[in-house]
Amino acid sequence: MVDAIITPKGNLDILSKREIASLQDSNTNDYTELFRNCALAVLSTGADSDDGHELLARHASFTIEVISAARGVKLKVCNAPQNAFVGGRIIEGIRSHLFAVLRDIVFLQGQSEIWRDNGESITDMVFKTLRHAKALKPRKKPNLIVCWGGHSINKVEYDYTKEVGYRLGLRSLNICTGCGIGAMKGPMKGAAIAHAKQRMIDARYIGITEPGIIGAEAPNPIVNELVIMPDIEKRLEAFVRCGHGVIVFPGGVGTAEEILYLLGILLHPDNADLPFPVVFTGRQENAEYFEMIDKFIRNALGDEAERKYEIIIDDPVRVAQTMKTGMKEVETFRRAMQDAYYFNWMLKIDPVFQLPFEPDHENMLALELHRDQPVHLIAANLRKAFSGIVAGNVKEGGIRKVQEKGPFEIAGDPTLIRPLE
């Protein structure tokens, strides 16, 4: 365990007196425990475990405090994990991530009520959070590829994600993931090698997460831009607003939730002509997995949904070529529409995809899982069902509810529900 005083570098190093005072309030307000737990996850980057409960139990004596300094604020940590320090000094990447946690969870807490207002203001705040994190880069052509997939994949699958990332990097494409391990780390690692070969000095490895999941998916060491959105809905919107294309690797229910969110948006009539390349890809042994996903999508959302993505098996070069071609189409469209390259303002997102869904027994049972509604709303409600499954198995609040009252239950059209098995 380590005790240390940590100064900011790149995040929150220029503050007004009022901003300093608001940050110090985090030592006593409702965000104290949330900030502590997320900071502990960041300081544990590189640890073997992805069990958030085990992590909190192992470091029960860990504390973190915001202290005032002449030029801003510092962080005082006690009983911090040893792996975050080398020679008594904090690792620079972890320092950056630590102050990103302070920035996104504490500094923006005054905006918390606005998030729950309406669709337009929610999008505006997603934009402001990304801008505040310096994640929006003007005058840069579309080149940011979002990669989704499971964190508990095997080595063969992981190596494939690295190879895809390598091929993307050779084409000077940047990577954005959920910031964890597995399919979120592999593409970044592969791209980092390719970017080095291409002598890219401004390569970007963006990790977008949210407080409920950061303990189970602490930022991997390659992430050089960390953004923590307030909930899963804002996290997903941030992906599709700042990303220019999506690659999906094999994963679990969390990946299925992301797929349904994306397809639900792309199936909205207002987005019919908007270019947004989407590729599902994996090794040959993953072909059956994607056949199952494809069958599930066709059954739930119809053949129109199938036209929104392409399945490419065991061909990293073709995946990268498809994304590179897609970037040119996105650039042409954005220029013609006079839309920004760095934030997809034209993308129509129905408020049902934006307002927070609280997975509990009552809300899960009340989900409208029937076919008598527009197809993008079917996707929205199926997405919520998967979100509840994730919460009940991964997130502390959801696990506690299941322990207290038993498993969540859902009801609806059997032709929608049975394939969930």
Side-chain angles (χ1 to χ4, degrees):
M1 302 294 184
V2 176
D3 297 344
I5 302 293
I6 304 170
T7 57
K9 186 177 180 180
N11 280 314
L12 303 182
D13 35 11
I14 302 177
L15 296 171
S16 69
K17 290 184 178 180
R18 179 175 294 182
E19 290 169 337
I20 293 171
S22 69
L23 287 174
Q24 283 192 285
D25 287 343
S26 66
N27 296 326
T28 57
N29 65 20
D30 294 339
Y31 289 80
T32 304
E33 191 69 16
L34 178 61
F35 174 49
R36 174 196 177 271
N37 294 346
C38 290
L40 177 58
V42 164
L43 288 164
S44 301
T45 296
D48 294 332
S49 174
D50 65 352
D51 187 332
H53 295 279
E54 187 271 338
L55 177 67
L56 293 173
R58 182 156 36 95
H59 297 282
S61 61
F62 167 74
T63 62
I64 184 168
E65 180 184 357
V66 180
I67 59 177
S68 177
R71 291 174 291 177
V73 295
K74 296 180 181 180
L75 293 174
K76 179 182 179 181
V77 297
C78 296
N79 298 317
Q82 172 68 48
N83 64 280
F85 299 82
V86 175
R89 296 178 63 87
I90 192 166
I91 296 171
E92 285 300 318
I94 294 180
R95 181 211 301 263
S96 174
H97 292 169
L98 192 59
F99 279 93
V101 171
L102 182 64
R103 178 198 68 212
D104 292 343
I105 290 181
V106 179
F107 188 74
L108 295 176
Q109 62 179 290
Q111 309 294 340
S112 59
E113 294 305 315
I114 302 177
W115 292 104
R116 298 177 181 272
D117 190 0
N118 57 61
E120 185 176 337
S121 65
I122 287 174
T123 295
D124 186 61
M125 287 311 305
V126 169
F127 170 81
K128 289 179 178 177
T129 301
L130 290 168
R131 184 182 63 183
H132 194 72
K134 302 176 183 177
L136 304 178
K137 306 293 184 183
R139 294 175 292 280
K140 299 285 186 181
K141 292 184 178 180
N143 69 353
L144 186 60
I145 308 302
V146 175
C147 295
W148 288 335
H151 69 280
S152 298
I153 58 177
N154 61 43
K155 186 179 186 305
V156 173
E157 293 170 331
Y158 176 74
D159 288 343
Y160 182 77
T161 68
K162 282 202 302 183
E163 181 65 20
V164 171
Y166 176 75
R167 298 298 173 178
L168 294 170
L170 286 178
R171 290 161 176 81
S172 300
L173 298 174
N174 288 311
I175 308 296
C176 176
T177 76
C179 90
I181 57 177
M184 289 165 281
K185 179 182 178 182
M188 290 183 170
K189 193 167 187 178
I193 297 171
H195 289 155
K197 285 187 174 183
Q198 295 286 24
R199 301 298 188 264
M200 286 181 61
I201 61 174
D202 57 350
R204 308 181 69 198
Y205 313 102
I206 304 174
I208 302 178
T209 186
E210 55 104 357
I213 211 164
I214 191 173
E217 291 179 359
N220 71 67
I222 304 170
V223 172
N224 62 7
E225 298 181 44
L226 177 64
V227 185
I228 304 173
M229 307 302 290
D231 55 50
I232 187 64
E233 287 80 10
K234 312 307 178 300
R235 181 196 193 196
L236 292 171
E237 180 165 353
F239 278 129
V240 298
R241 292 286 187 189
C242 69
H244 303 109
V246 172
I247 295 174
V248 181
F249 297 102
V253 289
T255 304
E257 177 184 3
E258 292 165 340
I259 291 172
L260 286 165
Y261 177 90
L262 178 60
L263 291 179
I265 290 172
L266 296 181
L267 287 169
H268 192 287
D270 291 356
N271 297 326
D273 299 323
L274 190 144
F276 199 99
V278 180
V279 171
F280 297 171
T281 190
R283 297 284 300 235
Q284 188 60 49
E285 50 263 44
N286 300 127
E288 185 176 350
Y289 168 84
F290 283 113
E291 288 174 5
M292 177 183 66
I293 292 291
D294 183 57
K295 183 178 179 181
F296 176 82
I297 291 171
R298 288 171 181 265
N299 171 72
L301 308 178
D303 291 340
E304 180 186 357
E306 184 269 339
R307 292 190 286 271
K308 299 296 182 181
Y309 58 87
E310 181 178 357
I311 299 177
I312 300 176
I313 299 299
D314 216 358
D315 194 343
V317 172
R318 187 176 155 211
V319 172
Q321 289 172 338
T322 300
M323 281 294 145
K324 188 65 175 181
T325 299
M327 295 304 96
K328 295 178 182 177
E329 294 173 354
V330 171
E331 178 186 351
T332 299
F333 181 83
R334 299 275 185 97
R335 186 188 298 118
M337 297 292 106
Q338 297 186 333
D339 195 17
Y341 290 154
Y342 54 81
F343 193 83
N344 195 346
W345 289 107
M346 291 191 64
L347 192 69
K348 171 66 177 180
I349 301 183
D350 192 290
V352 71
F353 290 97
Q354 297 178 297
L355 298 174
F357 172 69
E358 179 63 33
D360 59 26
H361 292 78
E362 181 180 359
N363 290 339
M364 288 291 283
L365 192 58
L367 287 176
E368 297 184 11
L369 300 176
H370 58 78
R371 296 187 180 277
D372 188 23
Q373 58 185 321
V375 67
H376 69 280
L377 296 184
I378 296 177
N381 284 295
L382 284 172
R383 198 280 302 178
K384 291 178 181 178
F386 279 107
S387 185
I389 297 171
V390 173
N393 287 278
V394 175
K395 299 183 180 181
E396 182 181 2
I399 292 174
R400 185 171 59 252
K401 290 170 185 174
V402 170
Q403 290 173 340
E404 292 173 354
K405 297 184 180 181
F408 295 143
E409 296 182 6
I410 57 176
D413 188 333
T415 64
L416 288 176
I417 292 178
R418 286 192 187 123
L420 286 173
E421 295 291 344

